[in-house]
Structure formats: structure tokens, C-alpha cells
Amino acid sequence: MSMEFTGSDSLESFYVGDVLLAALGNSVTGKSEWTGLTIKDPFQLEQTTVILVHVKGVYRVATPGNYMVYELLDSDTANSIDNFIAQLEPGTVNDFNFINHNLGVLTYRSYFGNQDVPMAEPIRFLNPRDYLSHQNFLEEVGYMNAIAGNLSGLLKSSQVIVFRLSLDRIAKVTKYTILFEAKQLVAAAIADLLAAARNISNTLLFVQTTDKQMSASSLRHGNKSQNSTNPFKKFNGFDYPIICNIVVWLSLAYTLSLAVICYVIVNIDPGRDSIIYRISSVHNFRSDANQHKKKH
């Protein structure tokens, strides 16, 4: 009740973290003009519990109940979430990052020990026996279900819970039926997590984001945020320091050379042996010759 989401304005994906920080009562320095969030009672924001589910590799996953939907521009949600987590106290956030499957499993075991977690049951098309990607995905959905069952214990010590998983490996399959089934399983797990959170906290902000990487041609022809400055965009490649040094030193050498040339020209003696005298002499000779012709 301390905040309200309204409107349908699009949001640059790299400002998702700023929105979440503001929802927790933190000051933000971003330049986004997004008007979807209104703070109604800033003194109650510190009691807010945030549960964020990020699904990579698809544009949209069904969400249960009444909710607000905002289109995210570009594909920088993952970077924004990383920045959001980095600005929180380590003891207040639990980040289950199953985009890296092994890392997500280790994080879960660090909280709950080496307990066996049953993987989600496939509906029809997913085949965990023959495909490792299907097996990993069903295990990740199983971990989400397990977190929903142990949510009360997590929320006693944490204010923010982040669960991230990727459907990239499933989305690469040409059969849409497999991807559709995977999205169904994710949507059901999110619904269970949301229901469990509502039974525990009455100051809950539940956020679900999707992020599908666009192809290079799509970015060139269909970029919806060309005027936006991405604070997470970095230079790629290890040769950037070398190029930077070359440009800096060449610029410095050019500037010093130009300064020396200008100094020499300004202080040169315009005698008969100088280039200035010879050029001016030729010019004067031609002028005198032209005047002589006119007289005759």
C-alpha cells in the first residue's frame, strides 16, 4: 500500500534495478522519465518485501491474477538486476541464479543443505532422459517449487529474493510445442511462488521480468530506444586499452608538433633565406610584372 503502479509506459530494461531500489525506499540517480511508479508512503517502504523472478530467453510468460504490464526496451535486464543486487546489503538478498545451472544449485544448497529436490514433471514433450537441457530445466523448476515451500524461512532473514532461470536452451529447439510446455511449467511455478508469498507477507512487491536477446539485425533495424544512454554498455575485447593508449599518445604527439610548428613560424626571421621571404618575393614579382604589362 506504500506504492502504486499505473499507466503503461515502456521502461528501458536497464532501469529495472532503479525501480526496485526506489520501491525499497532507496534514492536513485538514473535519468529515466518513466512514470509508472508512484510512492504514496515513503516511510513504509522499508517494510516492503521484493520477490523477483527473471526468465531469460522468452518475450513473455503468463502471470496469474491481476497485474500491471510494462514493456521493457532493449535486453539489459540481467545487468540491471546485477547492479540492483550489488547495491543491497549482502544479508538482505537471496539470489538464486539458475542461468548458470551449477551456480544456482550451489546457492540453493548453501541455504538449505544437500537435500534432494525432485525435478518438475514434464507434461508431454520434454524428455529429460535423452536431453540434458530438458533435465536441467525441469530441475530448475523443481528448485523454484522447493523455494516456494521454504519461503517463510527465507523471508525471516531476507528482504529480497531473486530467482533467475533461462529458457535459451529450450528456445533453440525448432519445435514450439516444447517451448510452450516449458513456459507452462514456469508459469505454474511462478503462480505457486506468488501464492506462497501472499500467505506470508502483506507488504509484497512481486516482479516478473522476461528478457530475450535480439539479433544484431533486429537491433539495427528495430531499436526502440536509440536515444537512450545505456549505463551498462561496456567495451568488448581485450585490445581496448591498447587502442586507447595509441589514440591518446598520437593525439598528444600531434598537438605538441602543431604547437612547435606554430611557435617556429611565429618567431621565424623573414630574411632572404627564409621560405616566407621567397614566397612573398614571388608574389611581389608577379604583382610587379602584371603592373608593368598594364602600363605597356
Side-chain angles (χ1 to χ4, degrees), residues 70-296:
Y70 302 98
E71 181 183 8
L72 297 180
L73 305 178
D74 297 327
S75 300
D76 295 295
T77 309
N79 290 327
S80 185
I81 293 174
D82 289 336
N83 184 64
F84 165 66
I85 294 174
Q87 297 187 56
L88 300 175
E89 293 293 333
T92 63
V93 57
N94 294 321
D95 180 21
F96 300 94
N97 188 358
F98 281 93
I99 293 178
N100 184 326
H101 180 79
N102 294 329
L103 177 61
V105 173
L106 290 175
T107 304
Y108 181 89
R109 291 177 177 176
S110 67
Y111 286 104
F112 302 106
N114 295 326
Q115 58 177 325
D116 293 332
V117 176
M119 67 179 182
E121 291 292 331
I123 300 174
R124 181 180 178 184
F125 297 102
L126 290 169
N127 187 358
R129 294 183 179 180
D130 296 335
Y131 299 100
L132 180 61
S133 60
H134 294 190
Q135 178 183 339
N136 288 344
F137 167 73
L138 292 173
E139 289 177 354
E140 292 163 6
V141 176
Y143 280 111
M144 184 186 293
N145 293 330
I147 290 174
N150 297 279
L151 193 60
S152 59
L154 285 175
L155 291 180
K156 288 181 180 179
S157 59
S158 304
Q159 189 180 11
V160 178
I161 295 176
V162 180
F163 189 95
R164 297 189 261 187
L165 77 162
S166 175
L167 295 182
D168 277 341
R169 296 180 297 273
I170 305 297
K172 290 180 180 178
V173 180
T174 55
K175 294 182 179 180
Y176 178 74
T177 52
I178 297 177
L179 178 60
F180 181 75
E181 180 176 328
K183 292 170 67 174
Q184 283 183 303
L185 292 173
V186 171
I190 292 175
D192 293 340
L193 182 62
L194 177 58
R198 283 175 171 169
N199 291 332
I200 297 172
S201 175
N202 58 358
T203 57
L204 172 68
L205 174 60
F206 193 95
V207 180
Q208 173 189 318
T209 59
T210 56
D211 192 357
K212 184 170 183 178
Q213 188 70 34
M214 299 175 65
S215 63
S217 59
S218 298
L219 288 174
R220 286 194 299 267
H221 298 292
N223 191 348
K224 300 179 181 179
S225 179
Q226 295 179 353
N227 297 324
S228 300
T229 302
N230 186 344
F232 300 106
K233 186 175 181 180
K234 300 178 181 180
F235 291 97
N236 296 322
F238 296 99
D239 56 347
Y240 169 69
I242 299 175
I243 297 175
C244 182
N245 275 276
I246 293 174
V247 172
V248 170
W249 288 109
L250 285 179
S251 300
L252 182 61
Y254 175 78
T255 303
L256 291 175
S257 301
L258 183 62
V260 171
I261 292 172
C262 292
Y263 176 80
V264 171
I265 292 177
V266 169
N267 294 277
I268 194 171
D269 182 16
R272 292 180 174 273
D273 294 333
S274 69
I275 187 172
I276 294 178
Y277 176 80
R278 289 196 296 270
I279 294 176
S280 60
S281 298
V282 172
H283 176 72
N284 292 333
F285 176 77
R286 290 179 178 176
S287 300
D288 295 340
N290 292 332
Q291 292 177 359
H292 182 71
K293 290 180 179 179
K294 290 181 179 179
K295 291 179 179 180
H296 293 281

Side-chain angles (χ1 to χ4, degrees), residues 20-42:
L20 297 176
L21 285 171
L24 291 173
N26 299 285
S27 60
V28 294
T29 58
K31 299 180 180 180
S32 175
E33 299 179 356
W34 189 62
T35 59
L37 173 61
T38 301
I39 303 299
K40 300 171 64 176
D41 187 359

